[in-house]
Amino acid sequence: MTNYVISVNSTVDLPKEWLADRGVPVIPLKYTIDNETYDDMSGLTAKEFFQKLREGKMSVTTQVNPEQAREGLEKILKEGKDVLHLAFSSGLSGTYNSMRLAAEELREDYPERKIIVIDTLCACMGEGLLLYYALKHQAEGMDIDALAKWIDENKLHVCSNVTVDDLHHLQRGGRVSKTAAILGTMVQIKPIIHVNNEGKLNVIGKERGRKKSIQRIVDMSVERSKGWENEIIMITHGDCLEDAEYTAKLVREKMGIDNILINNIGTVIGSHTGPGVLAVFHMGEYR
């Protein structure tokens, strides 16, 4: 079997220990807050980061540039290994394009190596779910070309069902108007969001109240996962563990799945969703 490594961007939002245990290299995006710049997954803890957002501080994110992408990929190639990189959605960042450009350059310098970069069209633990299954197939002996084909064929079956608690962060990102953010906040409107087939965030509905919005995203997961065997469900949250655990309880009751991975959303994606975001990730027939 070809000796190859699966690498990811930090927006995969899985626990650092989980990634380290499985030997997955991470090429990070960056974020700047309070005039300090950090690598995603480094610097501030989730509690410190989201507390700053609650205090009104702004976090500005930076995509991976081609030089950083090249450096991250070349470390693997220098070890004599091929690389399959799962990149952050091109619908949300220029990171995939940087990774692609770096791969093109590196193929000239390492003609004996395979370098495959895939636009996952996923974000956060949607990328994480693809990685979970990719690692499983790799361990079962699937070669790099077959695995790249499997990922391309299945990435649009990754479902991301999201609700946010604070409309103002969506407003800053241009997802809702300022007026809608103010009025929606006053009447406790919680938007329902998903990642579409272009890898972009779309507001597709709304609920009044937190509990109803959580129930809605779980019900969406129940509906969209019909006919699919999900080994694992992933849940991310913006420093609201109690709500994430309530979401997991509903998943167990309604989907009959006990294998659930819960983790804080990362600092880069959390910069745009704000504290209180909740999302459920699973495989399904359609997004």
Side-chain angles (χ1 to χ4, degrees), residues 65-112:
N65 64 41
E67 292 76 21
Q68 293 163 339
R70 180 186 174 101
E71 181 182 356
L73 294 175
E74 193 165 21
K75 286 179 183 177
I76 301 167
L77 301 173
K78 285 180 175 178
E79 295 174 359
K81 298 175 181 177
D82 295 341
V83 58
L84 173 59
H85 183 81
L86 307 184
F88 184 28
S89 172
S90 63
L92 296 170
S93 170
T95 293
Y96 162 69
N97 196 45
S98 293
M99 302 301 309
R100 181 186 61 79
L101 290 172
E104 288 178 2
E105 290 181 3
L106 287 165
R107 288 188 191 103
E108 296 180 7
D109 297 337
Y110 297 85
E112 74 286 2

Side-chain angles (χ1 to χ4, degrees), residues 120-279:
T120 65
L121 297 174
C122 294
C124 193
M125 284 177 137
E127 294 170 73
L129 200 59
L130 269 184
L131 174 63
Y132 171 88
Y133 287 109
L135 290 169
K136 178 187 175 185
H137 289 314
Q138 182 188 36
E140 291 170 345
M142 190 177 284
D143 68 34
I144 189 170
D145 293 307
L147 182 53
K149 183 173 184 289
W150 183 92
I151 293 168
D152 267 329
E153 290 174 346
N154 285 276
K155 63 189 182 183
L156 293 183
H157 291 294
V158 176
C159 303
S160 310
N161 303 317
V162 189
T163 185
V164 299
D165 200 37
D166 184 347
L167 285 163
H168 293 291
H169 291 277
L170 288 180
Q171 180 254 316
R172 291 184 194 119
R175 299 292 169 187
V176 298
S177 70
K178 187 173 183 179
T179 300
I182 294 170
L183 293 176
T185 300
M186 289 173 61
V187 297
Q188 287 291 295
I189 292 296
K190 309 299 180 185
I192 306 299
I193 302 166
H194 81 147
V195 177
N196 66 17
N197 286 349
E198 296 176 347
K200 298 178 180 179
L201 284 174
N202 268 10
V203 178
I204 57 172
K206 59 186 177 182
E207 291 289 343
R208 181 168 292 182
R210 180 70 160 173
K211 282 283 178 72
K212 285 186 178 179
S213 69
I214 293 173
Q215 291 164 356
R216 173 78 176 276
I217 62 172
V218 174
D219 287 343
M220 287 167 60
S221 296
V222 171
E223 178 64 28
R224 294 176 181 183
S225 64
K226 286 179 179 176
W228 283 71
E229 290 189 13
N230 277 281
E231 292 183 12
I232 188 170
I233 302 295
M234 296 188 179
I235 296 173
T236 194
H237 65 97
D239 193 31
C240 54
L241 181 58
E242 187 175 326
D243 285 345
E245 289 174 341
Y246 171 68
T247 305
K249 176 177 176 288
L250 292 179
V251 167
R252 291 187 185 96
E253 292 172 353
K254 296 189 175 190
M255 300 181 73
I257 299 171
D258 290 321
N259 186 16
I260 300 173
L261 194 160
I262 298 175
N263 195 45
N264 261 301
I265 200 165
T267 43
V268 163
I269 297 179
S271 297
H272 301 282
T273 59
V277 62
L278 267 172

Side-chain angles (χ1 to χ4, degrees), residues 15-29:
K16 287 188 288 186
E17 299 77 14
W18 192 98
L19 295 163
D21 287 347
R22 291 158 179 78
V24 178
V26 178
I27 300 174
L29 284 74

